[in-house]
Amino acid sequence: MLKAQRAVAGSRIIGLGHYQPERVLTNAELASMVDTSDEWIRTRTGIVERHIARDDETVADMATAAARAAIADAGLEPDEVGLIVVASTSVMDHSPNVAGRVAAALGMTSPVIIDVNTACSGFEHGIAMADAAIRAGQVEKAVVIGSEKLSAITDWTDRTTCVLTADGAGAFVLEAAATDAEIGVGPTVWGSEPTMSRAVIVEDETGNKFSQDGRMILRWAMSKASGITRDAVEQAGLTMDDIQVFVPHQANLRIIEPLAEQLGLTDRTVVTDVQVSGNTSAASIPLGLSKWWHEGRIPANAPTLLFGFGGGFAYASQVVLTPNREP
């Protein structure tokens, strides 16, 4: 007979952190680079500006900065964290992985290090993995990071995609919840649409540049997303009336606003960081939530619906509670 590891009730979020590069690229600047205009970009995406990393600034650098901020926000030292999960689709180096680079940069001793690539839903997949590891008793604390340098995989001559992409990172710290009353991460509803696997592409035939079928993604989001998110709320034992904050993938304001309306959440806090941060793929949800949390725009212990979707074509959604303290 094999001995199973001890289990705990679940996990909860105790720290949030984020990082954005200093350089801000405005719509006006883009209009001088490609055939577009501020009005065209705002009308079709809602984006006003985005942050772009330096040439020597890596996915790991941004992930480390966000992780350090989240760990400090949780009141911990890096070595108290036993698991690092990094979600990214813009990593150029294969080994050591980003999580390993973060561990080394933070001076950690022997954490478990895992990278995840399910593109824009990667962070929510990472939350599910960290929560499962904590519930299984394998680790007590974990940091989950979304970090992207999409500027490195952007075709700056393609006005349909270059107006969207940006760089940045966000991170959550999770710890074991000893009782059911302390649980702050709900079940994950996740899956994929294999027939849409070509909707988002970064591969050799595109010169390793980001390409997408925006209309296909919009149709999918308007027809399928509400069912997935409602299922996540139900599995968390809540109703839509209980949700105080909605944080969808910051892909495009033309998707975020109609989806919030479908879900009846327009009178709640709907994070729309895409307007000033652009689309940062796996980083967009933790980046937007951490920014708004630290700005005092999101309350403590708030039931928050997360929903990521994109390349793969993969999706993942869960309800989490914001840290049980004021930001």
Side-chain angles (χ1 to χ4, degrees), residues 81-161:
V81 175
L83 168 65
I84 302 174
V85 182
V86 178
S88 183
T89 194
S90 52
V91 180
M92 299 301 174
D93 301 315
H94 296 292
S95 183
N97 66 2
V98 180
R101 294 170 191 263
V102 170
L106 293 177
M108 300 171 74
T109 304
S110 58
V112 178
I113 52 172
I114 301 173
D115 278 11
V116 177
N117 178 11
T118 49
C120 304
S121 63
F123 183 79
E124 294 69 53
H125 281 75
I127 289 290
M129 294 171 65
D131 175 62
I134 289 172
R135 284 190 288 108
Q138 294 187 312
V139 296
E140 291 187 357
K141 295 178 176 66
V143 60
V144 182
I145 311 161
S147 184
E148 298 284 14
K149 188 176 181 179
L150 295 186
S151 62
I153 57 172
T154 296
D155 180 353
W156 292 101
T157 67
D158 179 6
R159 74 169 187 167
T160 64
T161 56

Side-chain angles (χ1 to χ4, degrees), residues 160-175:
T160 64
T161 56
C162 75
V163 300
L164 298 170
T165 53
D167 305 329
F172 289 5
V173 176
L174 278 64
E175 74 168 6

Side-chain angles (χ1 to χ4, degrees), residues 233 237-245 265 268 302-304 319 321:
V233 172
L238 303 176
T239 69
M240 295 306 296
D241 289 340
D242 297 314
I243 300 300
Q244 295 182 30
V245 183
L265 297 176
R268 323 295 166 82
T304 300
V319 178
L321 300 180

Side-chain angles (χ1 to χ4, degrees), residues 175-254:
E175 74 168 6
T179 66
D180 288 349
E182 295 179 353
I183 293 174
V185 176
T188 300
V189 174
W190 51 357
S192 66
E193 294 276 1
T195 59
M196 288 180 57
S197 63
R198 306 288 298 173
V200 181
I201 301 171
V202 182
E203 58 185 17
D204 285 345
E205 70 177 50
T206 64
N208 280 324
K209 300 300 182 184
F210 163 62
S211 175
Q212 71 171 11
D213 186 332
R215 292 182 179 179
M216 180 185 293
I217 295 169
L218 177 62
R219 287 195 299 269
W220 180 88
M222 293 301 95
S223 63
K224 298 290 186 68
S226 63
I228 295 164
T229 50
R230 288 180 189 278
D231 191 10
V233 172
E234 182 179 348
Q235 289 200 29
L238 303 176
T239 69
M240 295 306 296
D241 289 340
D242 297 314
I243 300 300
Q244 295 182 30
V245 183
F246 180 39
V247 195
H249 167 43
Q250 303 291 292
N252 189 318
L253 205 60
R254 292 176 64 187

